[in-house]
Amino acid sequence: MKTPTFRQRVRYDVGGVLPDDLQDWVLHDLTGRGSTPRYLARFLVPLVAVLLLFLLFPGPNWIAGLMMLLIFVPVVYFASALHLIYRAFRLGQHGIDAASIPRATPSAERDRKTYEANYRHP
């Protein structure tokens, strides 16, 4: 699988579109193993850098810490909640049909079949 250059990778990380010959890499990056931690890292690392500016405010550091926490917690919550929507958007940007990616994991399907077998009403 062809990987992007450093310049292409930086552009991709800030929302740019990669060339068509890198679609396999994009598909793996957005849907492969570890895609959720990569997504959260791309989203939260720049935010943490900006939030550290709160430490420059005068006053006790615990107040700055609470201000950072007041912003960080909802951002993590909404970023996690919107992960699948953002993934579908990024796949669409690269010309990959997001509907072709299976959303249910094999373990979830197995759990559903077990549930239906145990608790199905006639």
Side-chain angles (χ1 to χ4, degrees):
M1 170 175 26
K2 184 178 176 186
T3 59
T5 63
F6 178 74
R7 189 174 176 175
Q8 289 173 327
R9 179 70 188 258
V10 170
R11 189 176 68 193
Y12 172 78
D13 286 341
V14 296
V17 178
L18 292 176
D20 289 340
D21 60 338
L22 292 170
Q23 281 192 351
D24 291 338
W25 183 86
V26 170
L27 184 64
H28 172 71
D29 183 60
L30 293 174
T31 62
R33 187 175 191 171
S35 64
T36 302
R38 281 192 301 271
Y39 159 76
L40 289 174
R42 279 190 203 113
F43 197 81
L44 298 176
V45 168
L47 176 68
V48 169
V50 172
L51 289 179
L52 289 176
L53 294 175
F54 280 109
L55 294 174
L56 299 176
F57 283 97
N61 283 340
W62 66 270
I63 292 177
L66 289 178
M67 288 191 302
M68 289 187 281
L69 198 62
L70 190 62
I71 293 172
F72 187 75
V73 169
V75 168
V76 169
Y77 176 77
F78 285 108
S80 300
L82 296 173
H83 173 251
L84 294 177
I85 294 170
Y86 181 74
R87 180 175 73 177
F89 168 74
R90 291 290 287 170
L91 287 170
Q93 269 186 324
H94 289 87
I96 302 169
D97 184 21
S100 66
I101 308 300
R103 293 188 66 182
T105 60
S107 62
E109 292 173 14
R110 185 186 63 234
D111 292 344
R112 182 68 186 169
K113 288 179 183 176
T114 304
Y115 174 83
E116 287 176 355
N118 290 336
Y119 301 107
R120 183 179 54 166
H121 294 290

